[in-house]
Amino acid sequence: MSTGLILGIESSCDETAAAVVRSGSQTLSNVVASQIATHARYGGVVPELASREHLRNIVPVVRTALAEAGISLGELDAIAVTEGPGLAGALLVGITYAKSLAFALDKPLIAVNHLEGHIHAVLLEQAAMGEDALPLPALALVVSGGHTHLYLARHSGESWRYKNIGHTVDDAAGEAFDKVAKLLGLGYPGGPWIDALAPYGDPKAVPFSFAQIKSKAHRKNANQDDPTRRFLFSFSGIKTAVLRYVQTHEMTAVIAARRGALAQIALAKPSDALDLCDQETLNLIASFQRAVVDDLRRKTFQAAEVFDASSVLISGGVAANRELRVRFTAEAAERGLPVAFPSLSLSTDNAAMVAAAAWPKLLAGEFAAPELSAEPALALGY
């Protein structure tokens, strides 16, 4: 007898996660073992260390997820696991464990694209709260430390179809937050630090701007009339602009002092940095965040208009940013478009989103092949 229960496993980067979700709409458990403390001293994720932590955490995390859900392995209908994109070694830990578990239990194995999981984090919460489904097609912005993509999402039978209509050509938005925070002597991950300090600065103090990104006309199959050319992102330039500002305004010594002071604080938090930041630094932080959020907002809603989207959803780690939520909500209200975000706990990497994304695939009978392996550069859609 079908129970609708799916065990989701996520290990694409630096979070080892497992969750049990019923019928893609009811989260019975959602357990995440974070590696922030391991990687914080390096200012970014170290792949080899991430893989080792996943190996250490995968078994206890899955056991805890099952215990919190109050179910046994035999009650599951399927096992779902992130196939990619992500770090190869990290992905392989989750995939190997999931394949072994599915084989031992004689249960279907479902491969999930990490980016699709982020989209279904929003859909999962919409269903859990009993809210009406977002009208389709939906324009989905997936924005995190590793990804900045725009997708047009719609139903296709039991499954979903995605058209990629925008992406970053270099750094992801979340990566820019991390690198700018590191440059300014703040902690890791940088997003929460920037978000917490930005309200104390003037977002108009430093006039950052984004140049229009042009596709290479000489490249094979370059289509100058392709509307998606308008929705390319680039965040390496603003990162460099912050560096140049720091250099020309001779802020290096102040930054070094701040970095040293925070290093002396056990488990330092963004609030610890406020008194260590002068007004010029706070203005720089606020201006940087405003510029990034405005670029994301402008292109997302322009794409929604061009592709006649009926709703907008934002997911991924950067979706937790408070200014982004405020400005996107205001713009959506002006345009009369429904907009949805995941809760903060489902914005960052988790396994509930993997199990939720697997539910339509279970209904459609889309199961993974026995030779399933990690796909670090896996794309979503067409």
Side-chain angles (χ1 to χ4, degrees):
M1 183 177 68
S2 175
T3 63
L5 296 172
I6 296 178
L7 171 66
I9 296 173
E10 155 66 24
S11 67
S12 64
C13 190
D14 61 339
E15 312 281 13
T16 313
V20 178
V21 176
R22 188 190 303 274
S23 305
S25 61
Q26 182 185 7
T27 303
L28 303 186
S29 66
N30 190 23
V31 179
V32 179
S34 174
Q35 299 180 15
I36 288 178
T38 299
H39 302 286
R41 72 191 70 177
Y42 306 104
V45 177
V46 180
E48 177 62 24
L49 294 180
S51 300
R52 292 180 183 180
E53 289 298 306
H54 286 308
L55 284 169
R56 183 177 293 112
N57 293 331
I58 187 70
V59 172
V61 163
V62 169
R63 286 177 176 169
T64 302
L66 293 169
E68 290 188 3
I71 68 163
S72 65
L73 287 169
E75 295 176 75
L76 295 170
D77 273 350
I79 314 295
V81 66
T82 301
E83 176 186 13
L87 302 175
L91 287 164
L92 281 171
V93 174
I95 290 172
T96 302
Y97 184 87
K99 287 174 70 173
S100 301
L101 192 58
F103 179 79
L105 297 172
D106 193 25
K107 302 284 185 181
L109 178 64
I110 300 172
V112 173
N113 187 302
H114 181 79
L115 299 171
E116 183 176 16
H118 275 303
I119 293 172
H120 279 265
V122 180
L123 304 177
L124 167 62
E125 290 201 320
Q126 293 288 110
M129 292 185 292
E131 297 185 2
D132 293 336
L134 288 171
L136 301 178
L139 195 284
L141 170 65
V142 181
V143 55
S144 66
H147 311 284
T148 302
H149 294 278
L150 285 170
Y151 296 100
L152 201 61
R154 50 167 55 92
H155 276 303
S156 178
E158 297 288 357
S159 300
W160 286 74
R161 295 179 67 240
Y162 307 94
K163 180 177 182 180
N164 184 203
I165 60 173
H167 63 275
T168 180
V169 298
D170 43 54
D171 292 349
E175 183 180 357
F177 272 91
D178 289 342
K179 290 181 176 178
V180 166
K182 183 177 181 179
L183 172 64
L184 297 179
L186 303 174
Y188 173 85
W193 291 73
I194 297 290
D195 191 21
L197 295 170
Y200 298 95
D202 178 2
K204 298 180 181 179
V206 184
F208 291 117
S209 62
F210 289 85
Q212 182 178 359
I213 304 168
K214 298 180 180 180
S215 60
K216 306 298 184 182
H218 65 275
R219 287 186 176 174
K220 185 179 180 180
N221 299 325
N223 181 358
Q224 298 304 309
D225 297 322
D226 183 356
T228 64
R229 290 177 57 243
R230 294 173 53 188
F231 310 119
L232 297 176
F233 298 94
S234 172
F235 297 103
S236 64
I238 191 169
K239 179 187 64 181
T240 302
V242 172
L243 173 61
R244 294 288 179 264
Y245 186 94
V246 166
Q247 292 171 335
T248 57
H249 289 75
E250 300 180 347
M251 300 171 68
T252 305
V254 174
I255 291 171
R258 179 166 51 248
R259 182 178 290 114
L262 288 172
Q264 300 303 312
I265 302 174
L267 302 176
K269 305 181 296 297
S271 58
D272 297 318
L274 183 56
D275 290 338
L276 300 172
C277 294
D278 57 16
Q279 195 57 50
E280 184 174 38
T281 298
L282 294 172
N283 289 345
L284 178 59
I285 289 170
S287 299
F288 163 77
Q289 176 167 280
R290 175 63 58 86
V292 172
V293 168
D294 272 352
D295 189 57
L296 292 168
R297 176 190 56 81
R298 183 176 61 256
K299 289 176 181 173
T300 297
F301 286 101
Q302 286 176 350
E305 183 174 337
V306 168
F307 290 93
D308 199 24
S310 299
S311 61
V312 173
L313 64 88
I314 303 92
S315 192
V318 181
N321 182 277
R322 286 170 290 187
E323 181 169 354
L324 183 146
R325 288 181 178 239
V326 168
R327 296 181 71 79
F328 269 69
T329 299
E331 176 98 359
E334 288 181 9
R335 293 173 176 262
L337 273 176
V339 63
F341 302 86
S343 63
L344 297 184
S345 63
L346 289 187
S347 295
T348 52
D349 292 352
N350 64 88
M353 69 184 197
V354 174
W359 173 245
K361 300 179 187 296
L362 177 62
L363 296 179
E366 298 176 8
F367 304 139
E371 59 270 21
L372 174 69
S373 188
E375 295 289 344
L378 184 66
L380 177 65
Y382 60 95

